[in-house]
Amino acid sequence: MSEKSSGKGKCALTIPGDGVKIELIASAIEDAKKIEACGGDRIELVSALSEGGLTPSYGLMKSVIESVNIPVNVIIRPHSQSFVYREEEIEMMKQDIRMAKELGANGVVIGALNEQNQICELSLNRLLEAAKGLEVTFHRAIDELEHPVEGVKILSNYKSINRILTSGGKGSLSNNKEIIRNMILHSDHIKILVGGGLNFENVTEIMQGTNAPEYHFGTAVRVERSPFKNISEDLLKKLIKLVKK
């Protein structure tokens, strides 16, 4: 990709090359503008960041998608109670996916489990049908599985799934590096997007220990690392420089 300038933020916009990709969470239009202006590769758009991210409103989706040029992937998650969804909730999620598609989202971030903490392929198939034509990320529901690598093998059967967001299961990223490496080994066409606890202190270790192609950040670039505070442009620029070096 080529370099271009933009007036949508205070930082000079640089479109990175085809190396390591950085995805950052936005929960407001100003977040999205900062992420693009400072060189982020992709946005995961959420509401309720303090709850791990829920489906954003129509207005937020529309405003963000129309305000930036980098890809916007919208999380489709109706509640934070679990990743097990009733029939009515799956129908709601399908409607939200269609809305994201109509608004021009690049992709959606989805996931569904059953009561045994296994991937619910029945629900997943219904969501994937609604998401045809969009990029699909299977989110950190996979980290609830007893054996995340087995989950990767199952998801690799779905050609319409593009990436998996994971911290390698329960526990800390630093302790899960080998699991993440094994997830990458068995991921077939799917890209492994590492996230969930990534920060300035551990990102170099995690990058060197996993060699994952993509990295996902949330509170690491926010003031006081708080989900309730704004993205800090200074932290964002430092992070992108650190990861892209």
Side-chain angles (χ1 to χ4, degrees), residues 195-226:
L198 269 183
N199 54 50
F200 284 88
E201 288 74 32
N202 65 12
V203 64
T204 300
E205 171 200 352
I206 300 304
M207 290 178 68
Q208 292 175 346
T210 66
N211 200 31
E214 301 188 346
Y215 297 87
H216 169 96
F217 297 89
T219 56
V221 295
R222 293 182 179 270
V223 175
E224 298 175 1
R225 297 188 181 179
S226 169

Side-chain angles (χ1 to χ4, degrees), residues 10 13 22 29-30 38 49 51 69 75 83 91 94 121 143 149 163 169 177 199 213 223 233-234 236 242:
K10 295 179 182 179
L13 171 60
I22 302 175
I29 189 168
E30 287 305 315
C38 294
L49 179 55
E51 295 185 54
N69 295 312
I75 194 167
F83 298 113
E91 287 302 315
K94 288 167 61 179
E121 294 192 71
D143 292 333
V149 176
R163 65 180 53 82
K177 293 193 294 292
N199 54 50
V223 175
E233 289 186 12
D234 287 341
L236 181 51
L242 175 65

Side-chain angles (χ1 to χ4, degrees), residues 98-229:
R98 295 187 190 107
M99 179 171 65
K101 186 187 298 187
E102 290 170 3
L103 290 173
N106 174 72
V108 289
V109 183
I110 60 174
L113 304 180
N114 60 26
E115 296 285 356
Q116 290 73 45
N117 269 357
Q118 301 165 333
I119 293 170
C120 181
E121 294 192 71
L122 179 62
S123 295
L124 180 59
N125 275 302
R126 295 176 63 190
L127 297 176
L128 289 174
E129 178 67 24
K132 278 185 177 178
L134 296 174
E135 279 193 5
V136 174
T137 299
F138 192 96
H139 57 48
R140 289 188 62 211
I142 197 166
D143 292 333
E144 298 297 312
L145 274 59
E146 184 176 357
H147 301 293
V149 176
E150 295 304 312
V152 170
K153 293 178 183 178
I154 292 170
L155 295 178
S156 291
N157 293 322
Y158 293 87
K159 297 304 179 185
S160 54
I161 296 178
N162 302 91
R163 65 180 53 82
I164 297 169
L165 171 60
T166 182
S167 59
K170 301 183 187 302
S172 73
L173 278 166
S174 295
N175 292 332
N176 291 344
K177 293 193 294 292
E178 183 177 354
I179 296 173
I180 294 170
R181 289 196 300 271
N182 283 328
M183 293 174 81
I184 293 170
L185 183 65
H186 291 92
S187 61
D188 191 47
H189 66 284
I190 295 176
K191 292 181 178 177
I192 298 299
L193 170 64
V194 178
L198 269 183
N199 54 50
F200 284 88
E201 288 74 32
N202 65 12
V203 64
T204 300
E205 171 200 352
I206 300 304
M207 290 178 68
Q208 292 175 346
T210 66
N211 200 31
E214 301 188 346
Y215 297 87
H216 169 96
F217 297 89
T219 56
V221 295
R222 293 182 179 270
V223 175
E224 298 175 1
R225 297 188 181 179
S226 169
F228 303 104
K229 294 187 180 291

Side-chain angles (χ1 to χ4, degrees), residues 53-65:
L54 301 179
T55 307
S57 69
Y58 172 93
L60 181 57
M61 280 192 217
K62 186 173 189 294
S63 297
V64 168
I65 291 166

